[in-house]
Amino acid sequence: MERENFGNRFGVLVAMAGSAVGLGNLWRFPYLVGSYGGAAFIFVYIIFAFILCLPILISEAIVGRRSRSNAYGAFKKLAPGTKWKWLGAVSVFTPIIVVSYYSVIGGWSLEYFFKACTFSFTGGTTQSELGSMFDNFITSVWAPLFGHTLFLLLTGIVIIAGVKSGIEKFGKIMMPLLFVLVIIMAIRSMTLPGATEGLVYLFKPDFSKIDASVCSAALGQAFFSLSLGVGTMLTYGSYIKKSENLAASSTYTAVADFLFAMIASCAIMPAVFAFGLNPQEGPGLVFQTLPFIFSNMTMGGIIAIIFFLALIVAAITSSISLYEVGVAYLVEERKMSRKWSSAVVFVVAWVMGALCSLSFGPLSDVHILGQTIFNFFDKLSANFLMPLGGLLLVLFVGWKMTKADVFDEFTNGGTLSANRRIFNFVWFLIRYVCPIAVLVVFLSAFIF
Ligand code: PHE
């Protein structure tokens, strides 16, 4: 069977940006900015995202397109008979863990979207009411499980439709919609009385706030936000035609991802300040602080619907990319049909996600290495498997592949003159700078 490709440049961009832009931008980035001192965190983030993570993103795409294979097959093909296939195995396994807990939060977003549609966030609901609403919801059994199941099903449906008519088409409609939704929110938030303080917080850096924990959080976030180290960009890279410019598509993806995170922060922080709330709210920011703001601002009911719709759309385009890694592996290596492969990934992710979901309620006493199941999966992947995957990948491209092969992919056989000019610089980053820096985040997971 012939392998599918993304149709055109815009298709590549929406797929890659769709993977990158997700809960990481709308939920994780704003609360990290809040917790780690505003603009100073953003400043460090920019450096890490563009100098360290962008070359890794390009490297993943290079491995994918060079091999034209799924995340496991790629290493078998490019380094036959070596232990590198174990990196492939990790790259197939990790996204399934990520999609399982990602889908739980996706399910929460669905629930909050329904709540917003029934105008639960209007009429001055208090913070403590919203706090207990959230706690009651996540600790219950059925409602979050239902959300998780529905979210995973929606993801699976897009996957079954295929690379071009599923992933690419969905992205082409949803990504522009997503930008529009968040821009509307940002405008509303920035025009609230007292919003300027939030903007100052976002744009005026206090460099004295930069320390090791800020750096480690920023690098971890850049990794997560650009979907690195889990085989997703590799798999998407394998669907990119030989005529496309990999470095350009990766750069646009990183720019879109960063812009989106900034617009999302402009939609959230000014409102947080305008209402005199604490920006250091942490993970509860999106599900507790924001609903409070929506409940108490003019037009808040509508803005709540827009926000949670955006959260769902952003989350689905990312979970699709995680889901696709396992499906591509099963189709190509196990010769299963796309439908059956999707069903298998669904079942595995559903079971693991159900355990995560229940770990907020009935299974809250079950601990793995001192963590609840949800936190264990989250930490295992974000702090351990993702940086490990990214580190090994960049070592693979820098030290195992030949310079000639990497040059060939980077410059499309020497035909892209701008890429030819920057190649040596990127090669230096890939060989030396990226591995050392990633090693630092990787080790920092054990130290902090
Ligand atoms: N980048 C996604 C986000 O920001 C998360 C993700 C991580 C997606 C890894 C795919 C792979 O939400």
Side-chain angles (χ1 to χ4, degrees):
M1 200 179 71
E2 216 188 295
R3 257 182 139 254
E4 273 196 279
N5 280 327
F6 292 129
N8 59 17
R9 187 163 305 174
F10 184 59
V12 172
L13 177 64
V14 291
M16 288 175 83
S19 171
V21 172
L23 296 171
N25 305 59
L26 270 169
W27 166 65
R28 212 166 179 265
F29 185 82
Y31 91 67
L32 286 177
V33 169
S35 310
Y36 287 98
F41 174 86
I42 298 176
F43 174 80
V44 179
Y45 178 86
I46 293 176
I47 297 178
F48 287 165
F50 289 94
I51 298 185
L52 298 177
C53 290
L54 180 55
I56 304 181
L57 176 57
I58 297 173
S59 303
E60 278 209 24
I62 286 179
V63 173
R65 190 170 73 170
R66 188 82 192 162
S67 63
R68 287 244 160 278
S69 289
N70 61 88
Y72 180 75
F75 297 99
K76 252 182 26 188
K77 216 175 211 172
L78 297 180
T82 64
K83 296 230 172 357
W84 285 102
K85 68 167 183 282
W86 290 105
L87 172 56
V90 173
S91 306
V92 171
F93 179 64
T94 314
I96 299 185
I97 303 184
V98 181
V99 82
S100 69
Y101 73 77
Y102 206 83
S103 164
V104 172
I105 313 273
W108 295 359
S109 315
L110 283 171
E111 167 77 14
Y112 270 66
F113 175 66
F114 293 131
K115 281 191 170 36
C117 288
T118 51
F119 293 105
S120 305
F121 309 126
T122 47
T125 326
T126 65
Q127 265 180 306
S128 73
E129 277 166 352
L130 288 161
S132 31
M133 179 198 273
F134 182 63
D135 287 339
N136 289 340
F137 167 63
I138 63 168
T139 52
S140 64
V141 175
W142 298 110
L145 272 185
F146 177 73
H148 161 56
T149 311
L150 186 59
F151 184 84
L152 209 53
L153 269 178
L154 291 172
T155 307
I157 290 170
V158 181
I159 291 286
I160 289 179
V163 173
K164 209 183 219 155
S165 23
I167 301 176
E168 181 174 346
K169 210 173 193 179
F170 190 74
K172 278 184 171 161
I173 302 166
M174 292 302 171
M175 291 312 287
L177 171 73
L178 192 56
F179 268 87
V180 172
L181 291 178
V182 182
I183 288 171
I184 297 175
M185 271 201 66
I187 294 173
R188 177 68 194 107
S189 174
M190 291 191 298
T191 48
L192 285 168
T196 355
E197 211 189 316
L199 292 174
V200 170
Y201 189 74
L202 285 176
F203 290 102
K204 195 160 168 260
D206 171 0
F207 292 109
S208 68
K209 292 211 169 114
I210 299 176
D211 60 14
S213 68
V214 169
C215 293
S216 151
L219 192 50
Q221 170 63 12
F223 237 81
F224 184 83
S225 195
L226 288 172
S227 309
L228 299 178
V230 285
T232 56
M233 291 303 188
L234 189 162
T235 306
Y236 274 11
S238 77
Y239 300 137
I240 299 179
K241 288 185 188 150
K242 288 285 180 199
S243 53
E244 298 291 344
N245 184 342
L246 283 186
S249 297
S250 305
T251 308
Y252 297 146
T253 301
V255 171
D257 185 59
F258 174 66
L259 277 182
F260 192 87
M262 284 312 289
I263 303 171
S265 304
C266 289
I268 294 174
M269 279 307 155
V272 168
F273 277 85
F275 279 84
L277 299 170
N278 179 7
Q280 303 186 327
E281 204 49 62
L285 186 69
V286 161
F287 295 104
Q288 294 177 39
T289 312
L290 285 185
F292 172 72
I293 293 171
F294 299 144
S295 301
N296 290 284
M297 81 186 191
T298 329
M299 277 175 32
I302 306 286
I303 297 290
I305 297 176
I306 293 180
F307 177 78
F308 287 109
L309 181 63
L311 200 59
I312 295 167
V313 171
I316 290 191
T317 53
S318 297
S319 73
I320 289 171
S321 71
L322 290 157
Y323 203 125
E324 176 65 18
V325 179
V327 171
Y329 163 77
L330 291 173
V331 169
E332 289 174 11
E333 303 297 316
R334 304 273 153 208
K335 308 289 173 231
M336 288 170 67
S337 71
R338 207 170 161 85
K339 273 202 182 112
W340 276 110
S341 310
S342 308
V344 170
V345 174
F346 180 90
V347 171
V348 178
W350 188 85
V351 171
M352 295 203 302
L355 293 174
C356 288
S357 179
L358 295 173
S359 75
F360 289 97
L363 299 184
S364 61
D365 290 335
V366 179
H367 287 111
I368 309 174
L369 299 177
Q371 306 274 349
T372 62
I373 303 174
F374 183 95
N375 285 345
F376 176 73
F377 280 3
D378 178 30
K379 295 232 156 70
L380 176 70
S381 44
N383 294 351
F384 184 75
L385 294 171
M386 287 170 87
L388 179 67
L391 173 64
L392 293 174
L393 183 115
V394 87
L395 287 174
F396 181 81
V397 174
W399 297 89
K400 175 74 189 163
M401 284 179 75
T402 64
K403 188 173 180 183
D405 281 355
V406 178
F407 178 82
D408 189 51
E409 277 307 319
F410 190 81
T411 60
N412 291 2
T415 56
L416 302 169
S417 58
N419 294 22
R420 265 200 328 258
R421 256 175 273 132
I422 56 167
F423 179 74
N424 278 331
F425 175 63
V426 176
W427 182 241
F428 172 75
L429 292 178
I430 291 176
R431 260 168 94 86
Y432 302 102
V433 182
C434 298
I436 294 170
V438 178
L439 194 64
V440 173
V441 211
F442 186 56
L443 295 179
S444 71
F446 298 97
I447 298 164
F448 292 113

